[in-house]
Amino acid sequence: MAATITLSSGYKIPILGLGVWRMESKSIRELLLSAIKIGYRHFDCAADYQNEAEVGEALAEAFQTGLVKREDLFITSKLWNSDHGHVVEACKDSLKKLQLDYLDLYLIHFPIAIKHSGVGTTSSALDENGVLDIDTTISLETTWHAMEDLVSMGLVRSIGISNYDIFLTRDCLSYSKIKPAVNQIETHPYFQRDSLVKFCQKHGICVTAHTPLGGATSNTEWFGTVSCLDDPVIKALAQKYNKTVAQLVLRWGIQRNTVVIPKSSKNERIYENYQVFDFTISDQDMDKMKSIDRKYRTNQPAKFWGIDLYA
């Protein structure tokens, strides 16, 4: 059983999860059932991934066949940008597709509201100039209070934020009645973001690392980015510990006390990524890893949105 981190809400989140972003609909059933058999108990979903219904079918099968109980799993989903003004309906839509009564964690996917396109449609409307159609009438504070309502309604156990920087996270802490339990951000050896990670942890917000392997091949295809998995320092350390480069990088993330949710559509890779609990990276080697930070973001939605929100 993978280790867990206790959230500010009192619930435990498994420190290793499986992300389902870009998992093809037809392969989800087999991959998820296989992952559960390997030992995964934490699955990271989102309305925007457009595969919640398929995930829901796989989960229903896992429960019906007695492979696992609902209370044994930790399921996350996320509010898409176009649904900031429709938080309750969007959450209910995700629950329906996932065939669940409640979510363990619901996150605001990005700290930005955009033009509403109908609950659950998760499109990213562009204006006449091909730039993301941002809605300036809905504040993040309004969205957050609607997220808090989900907890009192019993639809969601823990709520959190995603892709928030220090400024926005601080802001959320100032107006929240229920503090964000998690901030899910891109972080990996080439994009360590120590200040943000430490700020969140200091204030009781668990950091989940999305893109924990630096995006590997998929982000190279989508965004033309370089992966840290080819780094000579990481390769040498992986050899030293007799582990793959991916295992070493995931272990590094775990030892930073961040939750890691690697994504893969290959069974052997999903199995490999789970084999990270039988070794420890020394303090000296953790310091070595610190030295390769490039402040290098690989997940760049600007490619689709015509605007660099991180500018």
Side-chain angles (χ1 to χ4, degrees), residues 136-189:
T136 57
T137 66
I138 303 169
S139 73
L140 290 174
E141 181 172 355
T142 304
T143 303
W144 186 255
H145 291 319
M147 295 284 285
E148 291 173 326
D149 291 340
L150 298 173
V151 178
S152 51
M153 291 168 78
L155 298 175
V156 174
R157 287 186 162 179
S158 306
I159 49 175
I161 51 184
S162 182
N163 300 303
Y164 275 52
D165 61 14
I166 289 180
F167 298 120
L168 293 172
T169 305
R170 185 221 69 90
D171 227 33
C172 189
L173 286 166
S174 73
Y175 54 64
S176 55
K177 296 195 282 284
I178 300 173
K179 304 283 176 222
V182 168
N183 186 7
Q184 185 178 124
I185 57 169
E186 176 181 344
T187 177
H188 45 78

Side-chain angles (χ1 to χ4, degrees), residues 231-298:
D231 190 276
V233 173
I234 293 176
K235 281 181 162 172
L237 286 175
Q239 215 167 358
K240 173 182 171 180
Y241 289 96
N242 199 21
K243 287 288 180 179
T244 66
V245 282
Q247 286 168 336
L248 184 97
V249 170
L250 292 174
R251 181 70 210 179
W252 169 83
I254 287 169
Q255 284 183 218
R256 295 175 86 203
N257 217 27
T258 62
V259 173
V260 289
I261 47 168
K263 300 163 167 44
S264 181
S265 295
K266 296 191 177 76
N267 265 325
E268 59 277 16
R269 193 76 75 226
I270 290 171
Y271 176 80
E272 176 194 309
N273 289 344
Y274 199 75
Q275 310 308 308
V276 291
F277 297 104
D278 56 354
F279 75 110
T280 303
I281 302 171
S282 71
D283 292 346
Q284 193 182 356
D285 288 337
M286 287 295 284
D287 285 343
K288 240 181 228 171
M289 292 285 284
K290 199 170 266 188
S291 71
I292 64 170
D293 189 9
R294 294 188 183 184
K295 300 186 168 38
Y296 181 72
R297 181 190 298 278
T298 71

